[in-house]
Amino acid sequence: HFWLSATVNGAPTRFLVGTGATLTALSEQTALDARVPEKSLRQTVNMRTANGAIRAELATIGELRMGNIVARDLDAVIAPG
């Protein structure tokens, strides 16, 4: 794992990168700061994390930028904590 500086919809943030991660996860505060909307149908998923089981909201990140690498319309989850 390592930390990475990035922007989400133009808002600066830091990510803990897990090389085995299958989804991009945002904290509730990061999602608010970056104006990342939850899916309109308020879909939730159950996830197993290193800290146990959680429920997370499905979302889409408009733009995730790390240096000169850009991902658009990226599926993500908004997870508590």
Side-chain angles (χ1 to χ4, degrees):
H1 295 96
F2 57 93
W3 287 97
L4 175 75
S5 294
T7 61
V8 176
N9 296 337
T13 192
R14 289 179 12 144
F15 282 92
L16 176 63
V17 177
T19 56
T22 55
L23 280 173
T24 300
L26 301 174
S27 70
E28 294 165 317
Q29 189 60 55
T30 298
L32 286 172
D33 293 346
R35 297 176 307 283
V36 174
E38 296 169 348
K39 297 282 187 185
S40 59
L41 295 178
R42 303 262 320 156
Q43 296 171 307
T44 60
V45 292
N46 293 319
M47 299 181 66
R48 291 199 175 137
T49 72
N51 293 325
I54 62 167
R55 291 187 64 82
E57 297 280 338
L58 296 177
T60 301
I61 297 171
E63 180 183 275
L64 173 62
R65 181 177 296 268
M66 302 157 280
N68 64 347
I69 300 169
V70 178
R72 292 187 176 88
D73 299 324
L74 183 65
D75 290 332
V77 293
I78 301 171

